[in-house]
Amino acid sequence: MCTSFPPFPPVMTSLIRQIGALAVRTFRREPQTSSSNFMSQYEQLYNILNTIKAEDINLDPSLLEDRGTFNPRRDGAPVTYMQLYEDSDVTICVFILKKGVRLPMHDHPGMHGLLKVLHGSVAVQSYSFIANMSMDGVPVNQSLSGMFPARKHEAVTVSASDPACRLLPEKQNVHEIRSLNGPAAFLDILAPPYGTDKRLGIERDCHYYQELVGGFPPPQVPEGRLVWLVNVPSPTDFWCDQAEYSGPPIEEDSDENGS
Ligand SMILES: [Fe+2]
């Protein structure tokens, strides 16, 4: 008698684990990675990231509850931060903005960023520095203290049904993000992470900026809309609390097969 058993069903791993594994592989800083290999993995990551939903990371619905425009006496912090994963090359996290709240204008020195809205919608105003960049991506100051010429891009409204926004070390690296019409949540993949970068021996800090209104005339360039950005201290109306991530864990050695 011949007994045959059906094959085991394939091990299906969660979407966020696949995204995590691909992000780790894409942004791992290995000198042998060719730029074409990086670009192909980056595009794969971008495409798969565009399919993620809030349910895929088990986002607690109470964090997304609309309690009206943010009131610090009633609502705690304006922004909630949730870290899903971090190693020396990449951070994967979620920011939740209450209604009427903004992440103040900030930079990502020398970093790549992918921002996928999971809930609600946000307005994103991006800028690109046109100053010469130093090694860690912070613009070299050009004669005027704390002021940097930057290209102001078209503001965009992004919701959960839209593809991810991308920022590069040299393009759209500064942005301000506002929640629109209610709370909003977005997944952020940032590489390399903020903080101590042992590989480069630098501290990668986040810097805050404001657009200079009046005073100096805008810098002269052949095309585009240019503005001055002024380096400012961290705005006092912006702070974060933290929430625990309760979705599928992302592990350093995880891969698409869930191993
Ligand atoms: Fe950002």
Side-chain angles (χ1 to χ4, degrees):
M1 182 176 122
C2 175
T3 308
S4 65
F5 296 97
F8 287 111
V11 178
M12 297 299 288
T13 192
S14 65
L15 189 59
I16 188 61
R17 275 175 68 92
Q18 293 179 54
I19 289 169
L22 197 45
V24 167
R25 207 174 317 138
T26 303
F27 292 116
R28 189 180 289 150
R29 287 177 286 180
E30 289 175 336
Q32 66 269 31
T33 304
S34 67
S35 62
S36 64
N37 205 17
F38 170 80
M39 281 317 297
S40 124
Q41 290 186 342
Y42 179 87
E43 286 305 318
Q44 265 185 63
L45 174 62
Y46 176 71
N47 290 332
I48 192 172
L49 181 63
N50 287 338
T51 66
I52 196 166
K53 305 274 184 291
E55 309 85 84
D56 294 312
I57 60 163
N58 198 28
L59 202 52
D60 180 354
S62 72
L63 292 171
L64 306 173
E65 202 179 310
D66 190 349
R67 299 185 178 93
T69 300
F70 172 68
N71 176 342
R73 282 190 293 275
R74 182 193 60 197
D75 299 328
V79 176
T80 297
Y81 176 83
M82 179 186 288
Q83 186 163 290
L84 279 60
Y85 176 83
E86 184 166 277
D87 64 22
S88 57
D89 294 326
V90 63
T91 301
I92 304 176
C93 59
V94 169
F95 286 94
I96 302 160
L97 278 57
K98 295 196 171 83
K99 183 176 180 177
V101 155
R102 58 102 171 80
L103 275 189
M105 192 194 304
H106 60 280
D107 63 1
H108 312 76
M111 298 158 70
H112 285 268
L114 290 161
L115 182 164
K116 176 69 180 87
V117 175
L118 300 172
H119 177 84
S121 56
V122 295
V124 182
Q125 175 64 66
S126 301
Y127 302 81
S128 298
F129 285 125
I130 59 167
N132 294 327
M133 297 289 165
S134 66
M135 193 176 73
D136 55 359
V138 178
V140 174
N141 204 340
Q142 294 186 330
S143 75
L144 294 165
S145 174
M147 291 175 51
F148 307 99
R151 189 177 309 283
K152 184 173 185 176
H153 297 278
E154 205 68 43
V156 291
T157 298
V158 191
S159 61
S161 58
D162 290 313
C165 301
R166 320 187 201 208
L167 66 87
L168 304 174
E170 69 289 346
K171 193 173 174 204
Q172 299 193 300
N173 193 268
V174 177
H175 60 202
E176 178 177 279
I177 300 168
R178 289 179 181 274
S179 59
L180 294 172
N181 311 316
F186 62 87
L187 185 81
D188 232 1
I189 299 178
L190 299 170
Y194 288 114
T196 305
D197 188 330
K198 289 185 180 159
R199 187 181 296 259
L200 296 182
I202 59 167
E203 201 62 37
R204 184 173 287 103
D205 292 330
C206 183
H207 308 89
Y208 295 93
Y209 299 88
Q210 278 176 5
E211 237 184 84
L212 183 69
V213 179
F216 292 94
Q220 298 294 308
V221 290
E223 79 244 2
R225 186 175 171 204
L226 294 191
V227 295
W228 288 108
L229 297 185
V230 188
N231 195 197
V232 296
S234 175
T236 54
D237 63 347
F238 165 66
W239 73 99
C240 295
D241 62 10
Q242 294 205 18
E244 197 73 29
Y245 174 56
S246 63
I250 300 170
E251 292 153 20
E252 198 165 352
D253 59 351
S254 65
D255 60 31
E256 303 96 313
N257 300 316
S259 58

